[in-house]
Amino acid sequence: MSLRRALHFVFKIGNRNETVKFYRDILGMKILRHEEFEEGCKASCNGPYDGKWSKTMAGFGPEDDHFVVELTYNYGIKEYQLGNDFQGLTVHSKTAVANAKQHNYPVTEQGDGCITVKAPDGYKFTLVDQDVTGDPVKKVSLGVSDVAKSLVYWQNLLGMTVYEQSETEALLGYDSDKCKLELIHLGCPVDHATAFGRIAFSCPGNQLPAIEHSVKEAGHTILTPLVSLDTPGKATVQVVILTDPDGHEICFVGDEAFRELSKVDPEGDSLLNTVSIFTIKIHQIFSLARAWSKHVT
C-alpha cells in the first residue's frame, strides 16, 4: 500500500489568532494555504456546522511530502470540549523546543529532551529536542478502547503496516519514513466530545470505491459515501469518510486531484493575516456597540 500516504490531522479551533501564533511562532510551521467558505462542507470537514468557516493548512513543508495540520475555524464558535480521543502529535525539532522556552510557553518536562506543550485550544504536542532529516512530524497518537480490535481495522481493512506493537500500543503507517499513526490503549471508552478531529490519507483515486466497499462489507460505518468536493478556483477532489471501531473519523482522498488542490499558496500567509485583522476589527466594533448600548440604556 505504498501508494497511500498520511496527509494531515484536522483540528477544530476556537481562537484562530492565538492558534496560528502557536503553530508559527512556537512550532515553527509555515502557513501553506488559507481558504474561506460561506457554508458547511458536504463531507462535514468543519464538523456539524452549516455556517461560514475557514481552513488553514500549516506545516514544515508542502503536503506532498510532509504531514501537516488543518486548522478549522467555525465563525461564532469560540471553544470546543476536548475528549480523550486525540492523544498528541510528536514533533522532532530543536527550534520548536527553543521557541517554547524562549517565549516562556507553559511546558511539561518529560525527560530525555522531550517536553509537552498544549496549543491554545488544549491539543497536546510532544516536542523532542532533536533535529531530523525530512519531516519533523513523526507521529499522531489516538486513544482506542481495544488495540487488537483496532489493528484488525487499520491493518486488515485499510492496509497499514504495523511497525511496533504491544498489548497497550501499536505504531502503524504506509511508509517507514513518514508520519506514523500511534494507537494507545485508554482502558476506558473513547470520548470524542465536541473537539473531535479527523485524520486524512490519500490513495490513487481508483482505490476509493474499493476502500468504501471493503469497509461497508465488514460492517463498519461510512460517514460520507464517495463524494466530490469543490473548492472555488481549485481542483475538485473525491473523498470518502469512514470511522474506525472507536469512532475516529478517517478521510481518504484521491491523490491525483489532491496534489493539485494542496499546492502551497504563496499568498496564504498574507491572506490569513488580512482575514484575521478584519475579524478582530469586526469584534472590536461589536464590542463598542454593546458597550454603548448598555451606556445609553
Side-chain angles (χ1 to χ4, degrees), residues 110-286:
Q110 299 293 326
D112 296 325
C114 297
I115 62 173
T116 298
V117 300
K118 290 184 179 180
D121 285 277
Y123 303 112
K124 187 175 74 173
F125 289 75
T126 297
L127 308 182
V128 182
D129 194 14
Q130 176 190 46
D131 288 331
V132 293
T133 301
D135 187 7
V137 181
K138 291 302 177 184
K139 64 181 179 182
V140 55
S141 302
L142 301 179
V144 298
S145 59
D146 186 326
V147 172
K149 185 177 180 180
S150 293
L151 282 175
V152 171
Y153 184 93
W154 291 91
Q155 182 181 18
N156 295 358
L157 283 180
L158 301 188
M160 299 190 88
T161 298
V162 178
Y163 293 99
E164 298 177 14
Q165 182 181 350
S166 69
E167 290 186 2
T168 57
E169 295 179 0
L171 192 67
L172 307 92
Y174 287 120
D175 190 318
S176 60
D177 296 327
K178 303 296 183 182
C179 180
K180 306 293 193 307
L181 170 65
E182 182 179 46
L183 304 177
I184 299 176
H185 177 70
L186 296 177
C188 62
V190 176
D191 177 15
H192 297 277
T194 61
F196 64 92
R198 176 182 290 178
I199 190 167
F201 303 90
S202 76
C203 68
N206 59 11
Q207 291 184 8
L208 290 171
I211 292 174
E212 180 181 40
H213 177 75
S214 62
V215 170
K216 187 175 181 179
E217 284 293 299
H220 294 285
T221 302
I222 306 290
L223 276 184
T224 303
L226 190 57
V227 63
S228 294
L229 297 183
D230 298 321
T231 300
K234 297 188 178 182
T236 296
V237 298
Q238 286 190 307
V239 304
V240 59
I241 313 296
L242 322 168
T243 60
D244 80 343
D246 287 300
H248 290 290
E249 294 193 3
I250 308 153
C251 172
F252 270 92
V253 58
D255 189 72
E256 302 86 348
F258 186 79
R259 286 186 185 272
E260 179 67 25
L261 172 68
S262 62
K263 286 182 177 179
V264 176
D265 181 0
E267 303 299 321
D269 200 66
S270 60
L271 176 60
L272 173 61
N273 290 338
T274 300
V275 172
S276 296
I277 292 172
F278 177 76
T279 302
I280 290 173
K281 289 183 176 179
I282 291 295
H283 285 316
Q284 290 173 338
I285 291 171
F286 277 113

